[in-house]
Amino acid sequence: MAFRIPTAVRNAACDAIVDALDAGAGAATIEVRSGSQPASANDAAGGTVLATFTLADPAFGAAANGVANLASTPRSTTGSAAGTAGWFRAKDSSGNTVFDGSVGTSGADMNLNTLTISVGVTVELTSGTVTMPAG
């Protein structure tokens, strides 16, 4: 028998994850990093921080069909280092890791206008989703 999750529970689980970003007194952040994503969000972050986005507070809308969408996109920032974006790490306002995932220009967990980031040049976070699978 397959493990399956009903939509209401998927939504609740997804909302709990994205609501963890809103813990603390300020807005959450997303660090876009070079290199490869670690095997676990518990592992130390590798690569170089290329850009840091400050998110809206709350950072995501309510989940529907197990998917929560990043609020107030696009978000803009400037590159703090030069390199190719490889992954992202999302942190609450206290700097605690909440989750990490893939970056791309489409079809990724977080989508940017470009994966080539340069110092002082504007980069945009065009969309982002957190998805709780149905099983």
Side-chain angles (χ1 to χ4, degrees), residues 62-130:
N65 294 316
V67 179
N69 291 299
L70 189 62
S72 301
T73 56
R75 310 285 303 171
S76 295
T77 193
T78 55
S80 56
T84 302
W87 65 288
F88 76 88
R89 179 155 281 176
K91 296 182 174 185
D92 67 18
S93 65
S94 298
N96 299 307
T97 297
V98 178
F99 57 86
D100 55 41
S102 65
V103 293
T105 55
S106 68
D109 298 318
M110 296 291 158
N111 294 300
L112 308 173
N113 65 323
T114 181
L115 296 181
T116 303
I117 298 177
S118 301
V119 176
V121 176
T122 299
V123 60
E124 287 189 345
L125 177 55
T126 58
S127 65
T129 57
V130 172

Side-chain angles (χ1 to χ4, degrees), residues 3-96:
F3 181 81
R4 296 189 180 118
I5 304 170
T7 301
V9 176
R10 289 174 59 212
N11 290 342
C14 193
D15 286 338
I17 292 167
V18 299
D19 288 351
L21 278 178
D22 299 324
T29 59
I30 288 183
E31 296 177 345
V32 176
R33 294 179 160 270
S34 64
S36 298
Q37 183 180 358
S40 166
N42 292 316
D43 294 339
T48 300
V49 176
L50 302 176
T52 302
F53 292 92
T54 301
L55 302 181
D57 192 2
F60 282 78
N65 294 316
V67 179
N69 291 299
L70 189 62
S72 301
T73 56
R75 310 285 303 171
S76 295
T77 193
T78 55
S80 56
T84 302
W87 65 288
F88 76 88
R89 179 155 281 176
K91 296 182 174 185
D92 67 18
S93 65
S94 298
N96 299 307

